[in-house]
Amino acid sequence: MMLKIIKLARKSPISARIGFVIIVINICAAVFAPVICPFGETEVVGDTWLLASADHLLGTDHLGRDMFTRLIFGARNTIAIAMIITILSFLIGTVTGFFAAIMGGWADLVISRIVDILMAFPTLIFALMVLSVVGTGTLPLIVVIALLDSTRVYRLSRAVAMDIAVMEYVEAARLRGEKLWWLMRDEILPNAMPPLVAEFGLRFCFVFLFIAALSFLGLGIQPPTADWGGMVRENAGAITFGIMTPLYPAAAIALLTIGVNLIVDWFLHIASGLKE
Amino acid sequence: MNMILKMVFKRIALGLLTLLVISVLIFVGVEALPGDLAEAILGQNASPETVAAFRQELKLDLPAHVRYFAWLGGFLTGDLGNSLANGRPIAELIGWRFANSIFLASAAAVVSVPVSVVLGLLAALKRNTLFDKIISMSTLSTISFPEFFVAYILIALFSVKLVLFPSISSLNDHMTFVEKIYTITLPCLTLVLVVAAHMMRQTRAAIINILSSPFIEMARLKGLKQSRIIVLHAFPNALSPVINVIALNLAYLVVGVVIVEVVFVYPGLGQLLVDSVAKRDIPVVQASGLIFAATYIGVNILADVLSIISNPRLRNPR
Amino acid sequence: MKKLLEMRSIYIEGLSEEKWYPIIKGIDLTLNRGEVLGLIGESGAGKSTLGIASMAYTRMGCRIRSGSIVFDGTELTEATAEELRTLRGRRIAYVAQSAAASFNPAHRLISQYSEGPVQHGIMSAEKAAGEAKQIYRHLLLPDPEFIGYRYPHQVSGGQLQRAMVAMAMACRPDLIIFDEPTTALDVTTQIEVLAAIKRIVREYNTAAIYITHDLAVVAQIADRIMVLRHGNLIEENSCREMIVAPKEEYTRRLLSVRAFDGAKDLDRKQDEVILDVRGVTASYTGNTNVVEDIDLAIKRGRTVALVGESGSGKSSLARVVTGLLPPVKGTIVFNGNRLSGELKRRTKAQLRSMQMIYQSPDTALNPKQKISKIIGRPLQFYFGLGAREREKRVLELLEKIELSAKYYDRTPMELSGGEKQRICIARALAAKPELIICDEVTSALDQLVAEGILKLLQNLQDELKVSYLFITHDLATVKAFSDEIVVMLKGRIVEQGPKEEVLVPPHHEYTDLLLSSVPEMDPDWLENLLGRRRKEGKISTVMDS
């Protein structure tokens, strides 16, 4: 298994390697944030919107906090929350999706109709409305987005599982008398992995951009916690003075998303190659 | 033909039903709040007068289903109630903003649809050439950009550095059409960039899928010209998936305007929705949410209907 | 005779995991005007690749590495794309295996017919349409004046296949490539298409390359046959000589497959009925019954063959027996106990003693599980065997299906089709069943491999006294393998009884049609059959009945 991965990595195109480097840098930044950063997350260190200098690699923000420090801590908060949401959404989505595909009939019909309705509603609007009622905060944010996003995961898992469930090896397992859990875990899941892994990457990107958008609208992760979307919002005013401060966190968001997308693209390429 | 009418009718009915369920959800969502609604929304320290005004505005003393039908009935007749924040009729607040949003989204659609369908088609036809690789690399990057990143780059470039276009797109009724277009150039361009990338990728995938089908191989082996194969054999079959792609992205545009409107302080429905959420102005949130949902569902229905009609197998039933 | 096509030392390569590997390893092929050449071989022989290479065309991911292709004096490997385009369709035409996928769903049959001649500048659309109707009539398509105005999805498979033959004839080409044109069809439909092809090719004196895996089919139509294997030419000879006196061992084996004779140990007179199906009717939708009023009994240690064409309801009946499709009416008694119609209500012991083997071993084995788990799971599930006992038993079972112990740690992807089917048999055996339902178990396999599987099943039955419900459309297998035969048509049983009785005339009209439609290894078989049917004025297709 390890050997196979190393072999694949050797053959990987330049784009995938770039993606890999981007992701590794981001993860390191997230994990070692307190070690790397010269200042505290919310520590005010100087004047407002200072330009980049030796002391402040990326200058300071609208309250005079070190931008570089905020950016590193932002990686930590934003990536961690996006990761938690994506994992949660996959847990909900794959379990219900596999369940619906295996059971078929009424169970499938009911779950699918509910999901149809949730999906007929644009995610951003739905999230905005729910947050307007339950109020902003990290926990509601995680639950709401994970639930909404799991509808997409459900659709894919169900479709993939449907294709697998009609395979004769699944029928053979049913005829043997296997229970639901075995069918899900041992027959369907291993065969559904490639599309699900790719989708995990794409969903992560989506969730990540989505949180950034909500934070940018002031409804996501709340200050003073550093978070990339929120940092763009806080510093947006600078742009009209020709100060590029809000572009740094925005670029960081774009960069990480590109990194993940590059890896996913490569992965899809291999997966489709294996099929032929 | 009968069957197609039936399918179209069924799809529309399903869409309307979905919309109805969503309206219930929007309404009930507020009800489901724990504790007293007024207190939960206004906070513990709200003055008794505010609470009273709030209760009266939402008609909280009446039973839920009565209020729901009153709300829905009002919605259909154009009476959306009053805003909690400033007491003005919601219809008045929403009307012109909605028109503005539609204006912006349509402008973006008019530019992005032809460009991306043509480029996506070309990329599919010239698969694995330099052109295709450039397209796929640049679209991959663009879909990774958050809308506001694109927006601020455009602002930094075109309004701060080059001073060509305004960074704030405030519309008013006295503007001529050309002035309006000039004002919305940057937000429109932002939307175009974001949505065109998606559309190009999906168009390319749909065309490639068609080009690999056996009947295209058959057309080649019949010795037909490449142009004829594309126009007469690939295109009629690609129509349905491509229409689907376009419509999906138009639906996305409807929602995508929200962020762009905030960045450019554009007086649209999205801007209003975000403001009202921040102020917890529930009636406005409900009303604009429902309008967004209706538009979104409407575009999706249109997509499905067009794709049913353009499917040759369905158009000529057995 | 004048040479029409001459291919010299053709090498063709295919791309797999970014490496080029050989598909055709240096074959010479010559074809005279008006001659029909049969290309036969098992899967992976390269027959299709070689066949379509005759128009200098390769599928995606393949390329002609070297060799020369001379068509009527023109060297095709050096021709420009435009030269090739004017040749294709006009002088060399192609008939694909799946007409349903190869017709454009957006256009009417007749406009797809006239497209070739009009675009190649041979005739006007009106003239082409007129000729199309003539050819449709010639190919015995129903309603030839109007059938062309239908869309591809509006006509049946056999008709569509004939419409494609017509389309290939549109420009009166010198050469037509037939790429397994009857493989996807039922036997009774296959006859019609085969007869149509033969008639049209003779009539217009068109040369043809006929690609198939079925020697008996190609024998009806070819003047000369080339046998391919793994990209090499094994033997080439005139059709009659090859069938009478094959030179190579491989050809002899291919020829002998149909003569497979399961010499049965007839001593084991057993009358104990193990499965008794009474008055079973079932339906998927509730409106139309897929099987109706079925009575069927299987004795211990015996094989009942369930025969019918696609849509006859034979697989649905298997689903009823296994519990996947609960019947609307009727009873199923197994081993003296009445079985519930629903899978969920059956006991573990009942499930254990009835096992199933499928048509396609590729989809019947979970590609992510190792052989040890695939065979080991029933042992664990039904008998609760621990890890060590399980390993021992799996190895025993591998021995039983004539595979070595080194397969224990492999995954299905590393196995050939025949090996996979053996694993499926081992998985069924692991449950120690009394009845095994075999659903078309040999039809996805190459002939020689299929023969091996049948022998194995026969040996296992002799040894373990297990009963088989053997579902198939292939009458050749039935003749060799079964004790009793049940013939199904449109969800009903039309005839049943011991093999000796069903196979000997007089039989039911449909059984007769079915039996007589199985191609025989005799070049005159098709002509004789058609002549006989014409004389007797009998129905020629199921559709007419």
Side-chain angles (χ1 to χ4, degrees):
Chain A
M1 190 64 197
M2 254 341 257
L3 266 174
K4 222 170 154 187
I5 293 174
I6 292 170
K7 223 171 121 192
L8 274 177
R10 279 242 182 92
K11 276 200 284 184
S12 63
I14 185 82
S15 62
R17 291 181 189 196
I18 296 173
F20 186 70
V21 170
I22 293 173
I23 292 174
V24 168
I25 291 176
N26 271 287
I27 291 175
C28 286
V31 173
F32 302 110
V35 188
I36 306 170
C37 292
F39 305 100
E41 184 179 354
T42 53
E43 188 183 345
V44 176
V45 292
D47 236 343
T48 306
W49 288 332
L50 286 177
L51 291 182
S53 65
D55 284 345
H56 306 292
L57 288 174
L58 298 174
T60 58
D61 73 355
H62 67 303
L63 295 177
R65 294 171 296 193
D66 182 53
M67 203 62 190
F68 179 70
T69 305
R70 302 270 301 159
L71 207 60
I72 302 284
F73 272 101
R76 182 174 233 205
N77 302 326
T78 319
I79 295 175
I81 290 186
M83 204 65 198
I84 293 171
I85 293 178
T86 316
I87 291 172
L88 199 61
S89 132
F90 262 74
L91 282 179
I92 304 170
T94 48
V95 169
T96 47
F98 287 179
F99 177 79
I102 294 173
M103 298 303 287
W106 276 104
D108 180 28
L109 203 71
V110 170
I111 303 177
S112 292
R113 284 299 87 76
I114 293 175
V115 166
D116 279 351
I117 288 173
L118 286 178
M119 282 182 77
F121 208 19
T123 319
L124 181 66
I125 308 296
F126 203 115
L128 285 179
M129 301 195 62
V130 176
L131 291 175
S132 80
V133 174
V134 299
T136 46
T138 310
L139 190 67
L141 190 73
I142 290 176
V143 175
V144 168
I145 303 181
L147 268 176
L148 286 179
D149 203 57
S150 66
T151 56
R152 264 78 183 171
V153 181
Y154 168 85
R155 274 270 177 100
L156 181 82
S157 321
R158 178 177 170 277
V160 173
M162 282 287 210
D163 286 347
I164 300 172
V166 296
M167 290 285 170
E168 280 138 2
Y169 57 83
V170 180
E171 191 181 299
R174 278 179 206 252
L175 288 180
R176 196 187 304 139
E178 298 285 4
K179 296 285 175 293
L180 184 68
W181 183 243
W182 170 278
L183 294 178
M184 277 165 56
R185 195 197 60 192
D186 284 82
E187 304 291 344
I188 293 194
L189 183 63
N191 291 292
M193 275 321 265
L196 285 182
V197 169
E199 182 70 4
F200 189 88
L202 295 178
R203 289 325 312 165
F204 174 81
C205 286
F206 181 84
V207 167
F208 182 69
L209 287 175
F210 194 75
I211 301 176
L214 280 181
S215 298
F216 173 74
L217 294 175
L219 302 163
I221 302 165
Q222 294 299 310
T225 309
D227 136 82
W228 290 347
M231 287 161 69
V232 178
R233 169 194 173 81
E234 292 160 358
N235 295 291
I239 200 91
T240 41
F241 306 120
I243 299 170
M244 296 301 142
T245 314
L247 287 187
Y248 302 142
I253 296 168
L255 195 66
L256 178 60
T257 321
I258 291 177
V260 177
N261 269 325
L262 286 175
I263 294 278
V264 170
D265 233 37
W266 176 59
F267 182 85
L268 284 174
H269 182 76
I270 312 176
S272 71
L274 288 179
K275 244 189 280 165
E276 282 159 12
Chain B
M1 204 57 216
N2 229 342
M3 193 173 93
I4 255 193
L5 271 180
K6 222 176 183 174
M7 284 182 72
V8 168
F9 182 75
K10 215 173 134 189
R11 180 63 190 88
I12 293 175
L14 194 70
L16 290 178
L17 187 71
T18 310
L19 193 58
L20 198 70
V21 175
I22 282 179
S23 74
V24 175
L25 274 182
I26 290 177
F27 188 80
V28 172
V30 180
E31 299 287 315
L33 268 185
D36 186 81
L37 184 70
E39 229 170 59
I41 287 178
L42 300 176
Q44 301 274 324
N45 342 330
S47 68
E49 296 87 67
T50 345
V51 175
F54 181 84
R55 293 192 141 271
Q56 198 200 348
E57 183 51 46
L58 290 189
K59 304 193 181 67
L60 284 181
D61 340 312
L62 296 172
H65 65 275
V66 176
R67 274 182 290 130
Y68 170 71
F69 285 111
W71 177 67
L72 195 67
F75 204 90
L76 294 175
T77 52
D79 172 22
L80 306 180
N82 296 324
S83 157
L84 286 183
N86 52 21
R88 284 169 54 196
I90 296 175
E92 195 180 291
L93 282 173
I94 284 180
W96 76 289
R97 284 193 169 84
F98 182 53
N100 286 345
S101 288
I102 292 292
F103 177 60
L104 178 58
S106 323
V110 166
V111 180
S112 60
V113 170
V115 169
S116 39
V117 169
V118 168
L119 286 181
L121 185 75
L122 286 178
L125 293 181
K126 304 191 181 302
R127 187 138 72 113
N128 294 335
T129 59
L130 184 67
F131 173 75
D132 180 31
K133 283 186 179 136
I134 291 173
I135 289 271
S136 90
M137 219 40 229
S138 53
T139 53
L140 183 77
S141 314
T142 318
I143 59 170
S144 308
F145 290 180
E147 285 100 337
F148 51 80
F149 183 44
V150 178
Y152 282 124
I153 291 180
L154 292 179
I155 292 180
L157 206 62
F158 290 107
S159 86
V160 178
K161 274 257 153 58
L162 301 173
V163 206
L164 284 176
F165 298 103
S167 68
I168 289 180
S169 313
S170 43
L171 279 191
N172 61 57
D173 289 340
H174 311 297
M175 288 178 159
T176 63
F177 184 71
V178 178
E179 279 171 335
K180 278 186 179 174
I181 292 288
Y182 171 76
T183 317
I184 65 162
T185 306
L186 287 187
C188 180
L189 193 56
T190 310
L191 281 172
V192 167
L193 283 174
V194 174
V195 91
H198 281 277
M199 234 187 295
M200 265 186 247
R201 285 174 78 82
Q202 292 161 357
T203 307
R204 177 180 177 275
I207 302 276
I208 284 179
N209 189 19
I210 296 286
L211 285 180
S212 61
S213 41
F215 62 81
I216 297 293
E217 175 176 70
M218 192 47 146
R220 291 217 172 93
L221 291 178
K222 275 162 84 177
L224 303 179
K225 291 201 181 85
Q226 176 75 3
S227 55
R228 188 179 172 88
I229 294 177
I230 300 295
V231 176
L232 262 110
H233 289 270
F235 184 72
N237 293 289
L239 205 55
S240 176
V242 169
I243 285 178
N244 222 338
V245 167
I246 293 174
L248 263 172
N249 284 285
L250 290 187
Y252 171 81
L253 262 183
V254 172
V255 185
V257 292
V258 174
I259 298 206
V260 174
E261 284 178 6
V262 171
V263 174
F264 292 94
V265 204
Y266 182 81
L269 191 58
Q271 166 87 280
L272 178 71
L273 176 63
V274 173
D275 280 351
S276 309
V277 169
K279 290 187 219 148
R280 306 191 98 182
D281 191 344
I282 302 289
V284 180
V285 172
Q286 283 177 326
S288 38
L290 194 57
I291 290 177
F292 266 119
T295 320
Y296 187 82
I297 291 173
V299 177
N300 273 316
I301 293 177
L302 190 69
D304 287 354
V305 168
L306 285 178
S307 116
I308 289 170
I309 295 175
S310 58
N311 185 330
R313 275 176 230 253
L314 295 176
R315 206 170 48 224
N316 309 292
R318 273 170 185 276
Chain C
M1 278 212 261
K2 210 183 148 219
K3 269 182 199 160
L4 178 66
L5 174 74
E6 187 157 27
M7 298 167 85
R8 285 276 158 265
S9 31
I10 298 291
Y11 282 88
I12 301 178
E13 294 175 323
L15 188 63
S16 172
E17 294 191 6
E18 298 175 13
K19 271 194 208 112
W20 291 96
Y21 66 98
I23 299 177
I24 298 293
K25 304 161 186 164
I27 292 184
D28 293 348
L29 182 154
T30 320
L31 187 67
N32 294 317
R33 280 192 179 277
E35 187 188 23
V36 179
L37 172 69
L39 281 186
I40 84 151
E42 298 181 300
S43 54
K47 51 192 190 300
S48 229
T49 313
L50 181 65
I52 57 174
S54 61
M55 32 188 168
Y57 182 82
T58 51
R59 295 243 155 80
M60 187 98 91
C62 293
R63 65 175 186 198
I64 300 173
R65 205 192 72 199
S66 66
S68 116
I69 304 165
V70 178
F71 177 80
D72 202 19
T74 317
E75 173 61 59
L76 297 190
T77 51
E78 285 158 18
T80 63
E82 185 59 18
E83 282 167 357
L84 286 175
R85 187 184 70 71
T86 52
L87 211 61
R88 290 175 187 156
R90 189 167 64 93
R91 303 205 53 202
I92 311 179
Y94 177 69
V95 174
Q97 173 171 356
S98 164
S102 296
F103 269 111
N104 189 327
H107 301 296
R108 296 174 198 279
L109 293 177
I110 204 156
S111 64
Q112 299 194 50
Y113 173 98
S114 0
E115 187 175 26
V118 171
Q119 288 305 308
H120 285 296
I122 296 174
M123 59 182 88
S124 69
E126 293 76 38
K127 184 154 185 282
E131 287 200 357
K133 290 170 192 171
Q134 248 180 353
I135 293 197
Y136 290 154
R137 180 167 297 123
H138 212 88
L139 292 175
L140 302 180
L141 280 165
D143 203 7
E145 285 295 317
F146 299 101
I147 192 168
Y149 297 97
R150 298 210 201 151
Y151 285 90
H153 61 275
Q154 294 170 327
V155 305
S156 76
Q159 292 168 3
L160 206 56
Q161 205 73 33
R162 278 181 279 169
M164 189 159 58
V165 174
M167 184 163 80
M169 283 309 296
C171 296
R172 301 288 181 273
D174 302 296
L175 170 63
I176 303 185
I177 318 290
F178 293 99
D179 192 356
E180 303 251 17
T182 64
T183 305
L185 304 173
D186 281 325
V187 273
T188 53
T189 323
Q190 166 168 290
I191 295 274
E192 302 158 25
V193 177
L194 205 56
I197 292 175
K198 185 161 184 169
R199 185 176 309 135
I200 209 104
V201 165
R202 287 284 137 83
E203 180 111 343
Y204 295 97
N205 197 28
T206 314
I209 294 180
Y210 194 103
I211 302 160
T212 178
H213 65 281
D214 192 336
L215 201 49
V217 164
V218 84
Q220 307 311 316
I221 199 160
D223 302 309
R224 193 154 48 89
I225 294 178
M226 287 169 77
V227 180
L228 305 186
R229 191 187 194 192
H230 306 319
N232 294 310
L233 177 65
I234 299 293
E235 183 172 357
E236 179 175 358
N237 210 337
S238 83
C239 177
R240 282 174 195 274
E241 271 182 51
M242 180 164 301
I243 284 168
V244 180
K247 290 196 203 86
E248 297 295 322
E249 170 62 22
Y250 180 67
T251 318
R252 259 197 291 278
R253 277 168 59 205
L254 281 184
L255 276 166
S256 68
V257 166
R258 298 219 171 235
F260 167 76
D261 183 21
K264 275 219 167 179
D265 157 20
L266 285 173
D267 292 344
R268 46 185 182 82
K269 272 277 173 214
Q270 270 282 5
D271 284 327
E272 184 195 346
V273 170
I274 184 160
L275 177 77
D276 196 12
V277 176
R278 284 277 157 254
V280 159
T281 298
S283 156
Y284 286 104
T285 53
N287 301 326
T288 45
N289 295 331
V290 282
V291 293
E292 212 165 328
D293 203 18
I294 300 289
D295 291 331
L296 181 90
I298 302 179
K299 291 173 191 152
R300 186 178 294 284
R302 290 308 186 93
T303 302
V304 172
L306 192 54
V307 190
E309 297 185 287
S310 49
S312 62
K314 55 189 195 303
S315 289
S316 303
L317 181 56
R319 291 175 70 81
V320 173
V321 173
T322 53
L324 286 169
L325 177 63
V328 188
K329 274 205 308 254
T331 58
I332 305 166
V333 176
F334 184 59
N335 250 343
N337 299 316
R338 187 167 165 183
L339 283 186
S340 163
E342 276 175 70
L343 184 64
K344 271 187 271 178
R345 295 255 193 83
R346 297 191 179 174
T347 66
K348 221 172 187 179
Q350 286 169 341
L351 294 174
R352 182 190 62 75
S353 32
M354 192 193 292
Q355 291 291 312
M356 182 134 178
I357 308 175
Y358 295 90
Q359 169 172 11
S360 156
D362 293 321
T363 53
L365 298 176
N366 189 333
K368 299 289 173 188
Q369 291 176 358
K370 285 185 174 172
I371 303 305
S372 52
K373 183 172 179 181
I374 291 173
I375 306 180
R377 178 61 189 172
L379 298 172
Q380 181 189 21
F381 187 78
Y382 292 127
F383 307 111
L385 290 192
R388 193 170 298 166
E389 290 161 294
R390 213 156 60 217
E391 183 180 341
K392 192 170 146 244
R393 183 82 184 112
V394 170
L395 291 173
E396 277 172 28
L397 283 162
L398 279 176
E399 203 183 315
K400 225 170 215 149
I401 54 165
E402 299 152 19
L403 290 181
S404 70
K406 65 182 180 197
Y407 285 86
Y408 186 82
D409 269 329
R410 298 198 181 166
T411 60
M413 274 191 281
E414 302 165 79
L415 272 55
S416 73
E419 287 166 346
K420 281 184 223 175
Q421 196 61 294
R422 284 168 192 264
I423 299 297
C424 292
I425 295 175
R427 176 175 62 188
L429 289 181
K432 295 195 177 149
E434 289 163 84
L435 171 69
I436 299 182
I437 299 170
C438 305
D439 190 0
E440 301 269 13
V441 288
T442 55
S443 53
L445 303 173
D446 283 323
Q447 292 175 33
L448 293 177
V449 180
E451 192 191 355
I453 294 290
L454 287 180
K455 277 185 183 148
L456 175 66
L457 286 173
Q458 189 65 72
N459 293 343
L460 291 170
Q461 186 170 54
D462 291 341
E463 185 188 333
L464 304 169
K465 299 286 172 273
V466 57
S467 312
Y468 294 133
L469 177 58
F470 197 86
I471 299 167
T472 183
H473 68 277
D474 180 9
L475 284 143
T477 339
V478 171
K479 286 180 189 171
F481 192 65
S482 63
D483 299 309
E484 280 175 44
I485 298 179
V486 177
V487 182
M488 282 186 77
L489 174 67
K490 295 174 185 164
R492 287 178 171 277
I493 292 178
V494 293
E495 189 170 7
Q496 65 179 322
K499 172 167 76 173
E500 303 76 36
E501 282 172 29
V502 175
L503 290 183
V504 176
H507 20 232
H508 183 271
E509 198 174 19
Y510 178 69
T511 315
D512 189 48
L513 177 68
L514 211 52
L515 281 172
S516 65
S517 299
V518 180
E520 284 168 22
M521 212 61 89
D522 166 14
D524 299 322
W525 167 81
L526 181 63
E527 288 299 319
N528 294 342
L529 174 75
L530 291 176
R532 204 166 57 236
R533 282 192 185 168
R534 256 193 304 276
K535 214 163 61 196
E536 293 170 11
K538 272 197 185 160
I539 51 165
S540 70
T541 73
V542 193
M543 299 304 154
D544 301 343
S545 66

